[in-house]
Amino acid sequence: MRLALVSLVLLAACSKQAPARVPAAGHARMAALLAERAAADDANPYFGQANLQGLRDRLRSAGEAAGWRLRLDTAVAELHQGHERAAIELLAGARDGLMRGRLAGDAAAAVAVDFHLGTAWLRLAETENCCAAPTTETCILPITGTGRHARTEGSQQAAACFVELLRNTAADDYWHWAALWLLNIAHMTLGTWPDGVPATYRLPVAAFAPEVPFSRFVDVAPAVGLDTDGNAGGVVVDDFDGDEYLDVIVSDWAPHGQLRLFRNERDGTFADRTAAAGLLGITGGLQLVHADYDDDGDLDVLVLRGGWWFESGRLPCSLLQNDGHGAFTDVTFAAGLGERQLPTQTAAFADFDLDGDLDLYVGSESSDRVPCASQLYRNDGDGTFTEVAAAAGVTNRAYCKGVAWGDVDGDRWPDLYVSNLGGDNRLYHNRGDGTFADVAATAGVIGPKDSFPCWFWDFDGDGALDLFVGNYDTGVGHIASHLLGGSLPFETARLYRGDGTGGFHDGAVAAGLTWPAMPMGCNFGDLDNDGWLDLYLGTGDPQFASVMPNLMYRNDGGRRLQNVTMAGGFGHLQKGHGVAFADLDGDGDQDVFEVLGGAYPGDAFRNVLFENPGFGNHWLTVRLVGTASARCAIGAQLRVTVRDGEASRVIRRDVTAGGSFGGNPLRQTIGLGRADRIERLQVFWPKTGELQDVDGAAPDSTIRVVEGVPRCERIDVHAVPFRRR
């Protein structure tokens, strides 16, 4: 009986002919191009040396006549490249010159120099402590225990600078609030907080206390081999070699930053298999996206390059074709994706024309310096794509930072949300004829003005898609002002709650999203397996002063988002980029992986993996296999009916990789709460419009469901506890 079932599953899964593999001739071409561009681009705004060298030359020529501004600019450039002592020397000299009257400058000049000097000292403290000898408590807010610094010079000097600045600025000044925040952080690292902070400048202890009880997650990345060191980057987590266990691929946006694959060794550790995967020489990329673009049954990866780099960002993406065993070939040029080389860090796959294969939208960063359109690539079904954005009406022509697909009005056709920095966002309604209409204004979803990450999800469990959009114009000064009841204005993120017919209203403040967050990488998942989707925000910006906590919110029954950052140990102060919720140890609950590290060489850090301690709830993991629909089932919808007490409840999950800056597995791990029986499992397949009933699903199991096959197949995935070294 089981053999017959397996044969039926395999027959159905293979019923759609996969296209021939794209020729591999472009792989060497891509590696050579990336190496050439990286070596030649000295003007890169983050990694190039031209700016620093030019400032040094100007400073040398000016000698003692150099003004405070040139000294400050040179110091900041030195700091960006990791030369903390050189930056401190320049800033200390500028400060002394202003104090003694050797340098002309007003009060604003003194404030700027003091602030940057304090920041440079604080960065030195991070380098000598957090980076040199990290622990599981390093940089976790509130900083306690082994997170405190052993080498104290940096934080002591930083605190002195910030106190002086606070005494010389007005209480309504942004830099006053920013210095107040950083002063408190410096004292935490010294173990002298709160009493060591003057009462006037002290943040309330309650601000760092748990809002609600929540189990603590601990970083196990060093123990399992995932604590790689680097700059900003993306992550995708999924099974890339076909063994049913989840692997990890991470990028580093530095021009020479090597893309790396970590194979799940099924013994509680991960091994770097980058070379074996054929990835050596495939470098850079701020974000990664994965999907089975060629419909051959394995997952491919798209590397997105050039984001934030303007002219230096005229780089191709990389489409990496999987051979089914976790080895990749760059087929970008052969697939038709290599000619439009424009700065981007965001893209998403969907079957927008419902023909059964996955199309691709790439959001470009259009600016005065690099005016350009975003691209919509229609999948031609033979391993190649045709660009159709203009004909479809989705060119955007704005500074795009996030894209997400979702059927907002229940008509089967995936609609497209585009998040723009410094302009109105777009909601492109899919007309079903290959064209779209921007209905964002009518739907009420154009804000915030400075948007970044976004995603569709069913936040409140009503069966309709809701929309999260992050705001990206706050800073550490806003955090301090917020905690102390100050009046610095800021925009919140948006939590647009959908009505299922294409209408939305913003429920962010009502749901508790009031912290002045500045999210970049982010994602969502169900931490406690209660059936409600939680979210994690990786925060920060390129500035070294942006030492702010990453934030975790627990979904309280679709009513509110409870801030569990402090209780759960998620408040990492390093810059947060790609985020993935994934059951990496196979025990049925989702762990959280995050790529940490800033934009500049001097702001690198190690990645983290927060292990889920478990909450005792039931779960179901489902891997869908399309036959008429796309093989990896992106865009399909799961509906799980369980009995919660006396009432039945339907839990909806859409097959996506989650947020716009981070990649969850496409298999869906669904929390069932206390329900120990599944009353009904259904799959909605948008291509055909069929709602498929599935038999045989049981709690606490991993199953495969094939389109058109009425009974699921159980997958044997054994829990493998993370190894402790």
Side-chain angles (χ1 to χ4, degrees):
M1 177 66 178
R2 177 173 172 79
L3 180 60
L5 174 62
V6 172
S7 298
L8 181 61
V9 168
L10 292 175
L11 179 63
C14 297
S15 63
K16 185 165 56 172
Q17 183 66 39
R21 296 188 65 77
V22 178
H27 190 95
R29 176 185 172 188
M30 178 63 75
L33 183 151
L34 294 174
E36 178 186 352
R37 297 278 181 89
D41 188 10
D42 205 32
N44 185 293
Y46 295 92
F47 295 91
Q49 297 297 308
N51 177 56
L52 175 56
Q53 192 55 53
L55 288 166
R56 284 173 174 171
D57 292 344
R58 287 174 55 198
L59 190 63
R60 190 179 302 109
S61 297
E64 291 300 315
W68 71 270
R69 185 77 223 190
L70 178 57
R71 296 169 192 251
L72 184 147
D73 289 345
T74 307
V76 170
E78 295 280 10
L79 184 61
H80 286 165
Q81 298 305 312
H83 311 147
E84 294 100 341
R85 292 286 182 182
I88 289 167
E89 182 179 354
L90 284 168
L91 290 164
R95 181 190 194 190
D96 185 71
L98 288 168
M99 291 177 62
R100 297 177 182 276
R102 294 196 307 271
L103 298 178
D106 56 11
V111 167
V113 169
D114 269 344
F115 186 82
H116 285 285
L117 180 57
T119 300
W121 277 116
L122 196 59
R123 178 61 227 188
L124 178 66
E126 291 179 65
T127 299
E128 292 184 339
N129 294 276
C130 311
C131 300
T135 72
T136 57
E137 296 177 291
T138 293
C139 294
I140 301 292
L141 198 65
I143 299 169
T144 59
T146 59
R148 294 171 179 150
H149 291 181
R151 301 181 66 175
T152 60
E153 178 194 19
S155 288
Q156 287 176 341
Q157 294 288 349
C161 291
F162 293 134
V163 166
E164 181 170 340
L165 189 150
L166 284 162
R167 290 171 177 162
N168 291 300
T169 51
D172 59 353
D173 189 312
Y174 174 84
W175 302 110
H176 182 95
W177 288 112
L180 188 149
W181 171 263
L182 294 174
L183 173 65
N184 281 262
I185 297 299
H187 275 282
M188 282 189 190
T189 68
L190 294 168
T192 53
W193 187 86
D195 295 341
V197 181
T200 307
Y201 309 134
R202 189 181 302 155
L203 290 170
V205 174
F208 305 102
E211 181 179 303
V212 294
F214 199 75
S215 297
R216 192 169 184 87
F217 288 54
V218 176
D219 175 25
V220 297
V224 305
L226 288 173
D227 63 330
T228 51
D229 193 10
N231 290 104
V235 59
V236 287
V237 176
D238 221 308
D239 173 19
F240 292 103
D241 56 7
D243 67 354
E244 301 295 351
Y245 289 80
L246 296 175
D247 311 302
V248 180
I249 301 179
V250 295
S251 67
D252 182 332
W253 86 321
H256 292 289
Q258 175 62 54
L259 188 71
R260 302 177 75 175
L261 182 146
F262 295 90
R263 182 180 185 272
N264 191 327
E265 295 293 280
R266 293 181 284 176
D267 63 357
T269 67
F270 294 78
D272 190 336
R273 302 295 186 191
T274 303
L279 295 175
L280 293 179
I282 304 302
T283 56
L286 184 54
Q287 165 63 337
L288 306 173
V289 181
H290 70 302
D292 183 3
Y293 87 93
D294 54 4
D295 226 42
D296 64 353
D298 51 48
L299 294 170
D300 314 295
V301 177
L302 181 72
V303 184
L304 300 163
R305 298 189 178 94
W308 301 109
W309 288 3
F310 296 100
E311 295 89 346
S312 294
R314 292 185 178 275
L315 294 163
C317 350
S318 276
L319 180 62
L320 303 174
Q321 186 181 51
N322 192 342
D323 71 352
H325 304 288
F328 295 86
T329 301
D330 193 307
V331 297
T332 309
F333 297 105
L337 301 181
E339 301 309 317
R340 289 176 175 82
Q341 299 180 10
L342 299 167
T344 180
Q345 62 122 87
T346 185
F349 285 95
D351 183 7
F352 87 85
D353 50 7
L354 295 184
D355 65 351
D357 49 35
L358 292 175
D359 313 296
L360 172 66
Y361 189 81
V362 180
S364 296
E365 295 180 355
S366 183
S367 64
D368 292 341
R369 293 165 61 177
V370 185
C372 58
S374 296
Q375 302 97 57
L376 175 61
Y377 291 101
R378 186 190 65 224
N379 193 325
D380 294 329
D382 59 359
T384 66
F385 295 84
T386 298
E387 208 285 306
V388 297
V394 293
T395 53
N396 190 38
R397 295 191 180 277
Y399 203 85
C400 180
K401 298 306 296 178
V403 300
W405 293 93
D407 177 11
V408 302
D409 54 2
D411 65 356
R412 292 196 298 125
W413 299 91
D415 308 300
L416 175 65
Y417 191 77
V418 180
S419 168
N420 294 315
L421 189 72
D424 289 350
N425 299 329
R426 319 279 194 187
L427 177 58
Y428 289 114
H429 174 250
N430 191 337
R431 294 187 175 113
D433 61 0
T435 68
F436 296 75
D438 183 8
V439 298
T442 303
V445 293
I446 62 172
K449 178 184 175 183
D450 291 303
S451 297
F452 197 158
C454 62
W455 63 69
F456 287 109
W457 60 341
D458 184 7
F459 161 75
D460 49 17
D462 64 356
L465 283 182
D466 309 304
L467 173 64
F468 174 87
V469 191
N471 175 58
Y472 198 64
D473 73 344
T474 56
V476 293
H478 295 100
I479 299 174
S481 173
H482 174 71
L483 294 177
L484 286 171
S487 58
L488 285 183
F490 65 92
E491 276 198 276
T492 62
R494 301 291 195 271
L495 178 56
Y496 293 116
R497 299 175 81 153
D499 62 10
T501 65
F504 293 87
H505 72 275
D506 183 21
V509 173
L513 278 178
T514 56
W515 185 286
M518 197 174 192
M520 300 181 290
C522 57
N523 221 318
F524 60 88
D526 185 358
L527 290 177
D528 51 5
N529 276 341
D530 65 351
W532 301 95
L533 291 170
D534 315 306
L535 71 142
Y536 190 48
L537 304 179
T539 60
D541 68 11
Q543 304 309 313
F544 281 36
S546 296
V547 181
M548 58 180 65
N550 300 315
L551 300 168
M552 183 69 82
Y553 287 92
R554 175 186 178 268
N555 188 335
D556 181 21
R559 298 176 294 272
R560 287 186 56 81
L561 287 163
Q562 299 170 332
N563 191 330
V564 295
T565 303
M566 307 303 167
F570 296 108
H572 213 295
L573 292 170
Q574 296 293 331
K575 311 295 172 57
H577 290 90
V579 172
F581 285 69
D583 181 12
L584 282 163
D585 53 359
D587 62 356
D589 51 41
Q590 294 178 318
D591 313 295
V592 181
F593 182 89
E594 183 176 20
V595 176
L596 296 178
Y600 292 98
D603 203 11
F605 204 74
R606 291 174 171 84
N607 301 333
V608 295
L609 172 60
F610 293 111
E611 181 183 11
N612 194 321
F615 290 81
N617 286 327
H618 295 289
W619 53 275
L620 175 69
T621 295
V622 184
R623 181 158 78 82
L624 295 180
V625 180
T627 53
S629 305
R631 190 75 61 91
C632 66
I634 285 176
Q637 182 191 126
L638 285 155
R639 302 175 188 176
V640 186
T641 303
V642 296
R643 184 164 295 279
D644 188 358
E646 295 299 317
S648 288
R649 173 186 169 201
V650 179
I651 303 169
R652 167 180 174 166
R653 291 291 181 271
D654 292 78
V655 179
T656 72
S660 66
F661 199 165
N664 293 345
L666 296 179
R667 66 179 69 176
Q668 300 297 303
T669 295
I670 304 166
L672 306 177
R674 297 297 176 183
D676 58 4
R677 185 171 67 88
I678 294 172
E679 294 187 335
R680 193 176 194 183
L681 172 62
Q682 296 175 298
V683 183
F684 179 71
W685 300 95
K687 181 183 185 300
T688 62
E690 294 295 323
L691 184 60
Q692 174 183 345
D693 279 286
V694 180
D695 297 328
D700 305 329
S701 65
T702 299
I703 61 173
R704 180 187 294 110
V705 175
V706 178
E707 184 176 8
V709 177
R711 189 168 183 84
C712 66
E713 177 197 6
R714 182 158 183 159
I715 302 173
D716 292 326
V717 178
H718 303 289
V720 183
F722 293 130
R723 182 179 293 179
R724 296 294 196 272
R725 294 177 182 172

